[in-house]
């Protein structure tokens, strides 16, 4: 696969088409090849059209997504917007989640944590081997997000973000909520409301009914885990 990629790059193409390049590889080999693809994304100016059924690959590599179903385009736009929509079938998968582009703003060495900031707020994540100012991409899975009507006061979850419910999708015994993160203060990061980051939260239908949730409801999103997808270099 690495030789095939090198052969494709050798003539300096103006566009690179990669049609499921990792489909024939096992998980270990995929983990070896993905860093090469990430370097292509970060270091080359050649546009890449990447075709894949793997949400994980798309989340790590894509900037824009065209979601197709039965030969028709269902959604198109920046990955941070498309993956965060609760109304799309992509949300029905067990690994449904969102991608957030952020920047490292602080390290807490004693607790081995790092703080990243993005439009609308910030998150504590496991200690990153990246300097302050480095751009990073993280992924938050819907099943790792819960909601509360009041801000929890004594909780082990360190990431609690005010949010507004923008969309709701019923999936049998669970409900998928589309959330827009509300800035903690009007000048928290300075973006307009439409630029704020989004989350997906998967909760049981019982919890949904008990809380009486509805579109437009303001809640507190508790983020239990954040996965680093990749670093994207410094200022660009």
């Amino acid at each position: 696969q690495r030789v095939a990629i090198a052969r494709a790059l050798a003539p300096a193409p103006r566009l690179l088409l990669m049609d499921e390049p990792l489909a024939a590889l096992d998980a270990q080999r995929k983990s070896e090849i993905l860093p090469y693809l990430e370097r292509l994304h970060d270091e080359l100016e050649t546009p890449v059209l990447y075709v894949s059924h793997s949400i994980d690959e798309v989340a790590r590599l894509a900037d824009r997504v065209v979601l197709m179903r039965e030969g028709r385009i269902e959604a198109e736009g920046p990955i941070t917007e498309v993956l965060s929509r609760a109304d799309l079938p992509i949300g029905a998968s067990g690994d449904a989640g969102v991608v957030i582009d952020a920047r490292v703003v602080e390290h807490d060495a004693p607790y081995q944590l790092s703080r990243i900031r993005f439009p609308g707020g910030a998150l504590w994540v496991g200690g990153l081997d990246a300097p302050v100012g480095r751009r990073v991409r993280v992924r938050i899975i819907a099943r790792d997000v819960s909601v509360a009507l009041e801000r929890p006061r004594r909780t082990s979850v360190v990431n609690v973000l005010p949010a507004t419910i923008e969309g709701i999708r019923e999936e049998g015994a669970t409900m998928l909520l589309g959330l827009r993160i509300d800035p903690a203060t009007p000048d928290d990061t300075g973006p307009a409301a439409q630029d704020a980051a989004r989350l997906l939260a998967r909760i049981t239908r019982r919890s949904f009914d008990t809380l009486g949730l509805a579109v437009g409801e303001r809640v507190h999103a508790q983020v239990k885990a954040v996965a680093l997808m990749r670093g994207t270099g410094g200022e660009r």
Side-chain angles (χ1 to χ4, degrees), residues 137-148:
R137 170 172 288 188
V138 298
R139 188 165 180 229
I140 302 173
I141 306 300
R143 62 174 177 269
D144 290 331
V145 180
S146 61
V147 298

Side-chain angles (χ1 to χ4, degrees), residues 55 88-97 139 141-143 171 176 202:
I55 297 179
L88 295 175
I90 195 171
S93 64
D95 56 352
R139 188 165 180 229
I141 306 300
R143 62 174 177 269
E171 298 177 347
L176 188 68
R202 190 182 302 281

Side-chain angles (χ1 to χ4, degrees), residues 97-121:
V98 302
V99 166
I100 294 178
D101 289 319
R103 192 176 297 275
V104 179
V105 296
E106 180 183 352
H107 295 296
D108 186 343
Y111 289 106
Q112 299 182 33
L113 295 172
S114 299
R115 190 167 175 83
I116 60 172
R117 184 167 291 280
F118 51 88

Side-chain angles (χ1 to χ4, degrees), residues 128-176:
L128 301 178
D129 183 17
V132 170
R134 174 68 58 85
R135 292 171 54 192
V136 295
R137 170 172 288 188
V138 298
R139 188 165 180 229
I140 302 173
I141 306 300
R143 62 174 177 269
D144 290 331
V145 180
S146 61
V147 298
L149 293 179
E150 299 178 357
R151 184 177 181 86
R153 298 183 61 185
R154 298 174 66 87
T155 174
S156 63
V157 180
V158 297
N159 294 312
V160 181
L161 301 169
T164 299
I165 299 177
E166 286 191 320
I168 298 171
R169 181 185 177 95
E170 183 176 354
E171 298 177 347
T174 66
M175 305 292 286
L176 188 68

Side-chain angles (χ1 to χ4, degrees), residues 45-232:
E45 296 182 358
T46 305
V48 179
L49 181 59
Y50 192 94
V51 182
S52 178
H53 288 86
S54 168
I55 297 179
D56 183 61
E57 292 174 29
V58 172
R60 290 183 65 166
L61 300 172
D63 294 312
R64 296 185 63 85
V65 175
V66 179
L67 179 63
M68 301 192 68
R69 185 179 185 185
E70 297 179 356
R72 296 182 179 274
I73 295 176
E74 285 207 337
E76 178 182 2
I79 187 171
T80 52
E81 295 179 8
V82 174
L83 293 192
S84 65
R85 287 178 53 182
D87 61 315
L88 295 175
I90 195 171
S93 64
D95 56 352
V98 302
V99 166
I100 294 178
D101 289 319
R103 192 176 297 275
V104 179
V105 296
E106 180 183 352
H107 295 296
D108 186 343
Y111 289 106
Q112 299 182 33
L113 295 172
S114 299
R115 190 167 175 83
I116 60 172
R117 184 167 291 280
F118 51 88
L123 291 168
W124 285 105
V125 301
L128 301 178
D129 183 17
V132 170
R134 174 68 58 85
R135 292 171 54 192
V136 295
R137 170 172 288 188
V138 298
R139 188 165 180 229
I140 302 173
I141 306 300
R143 62 174 177 269
D144 290 331
V145 180
S146 61
V147 298
L149 293 179
E150 299 178 357
R151 184 177 181 86
R153 298 183 61 185
R154 298 174 66 87
T155 174
S156 63
V157 180
V158 297
N159 294 312
V160 181
L161 301 169
T164 299
I165 299 177
E166 286 191 320
I168 298 171
R169 181 185 177 95
E170 183 176 354
E171 298 177 347
T174 66
M175 305 292 286
L176 188 68
L177 310 180
L179 309 174
R180 184 191 72 242
I181 298 174
D182 299 329
T185 61
D187 61 348
D188 187 19
T189 55
Q194 62 269 22
D195 295 328
R198 266 69 176 176
L199 293 175
L200 290 177
R202 190 182 302 281
I203 65 175
T204 65
R205 190 167 53 167
R206 181 186 179 90
S207 295
F208 178 85
D209 291 339
T210 299
L211 296 176
L213 300 177
V215 171
E217 186 97 34
R218 299 198 68 183
V219 297
H220 294 275
Q222 300 181 100
V223 181
K224 293 176 284 186
V226 180
L228 176 70
M229 304 302 295
R230 72 169 195 269
T232 58

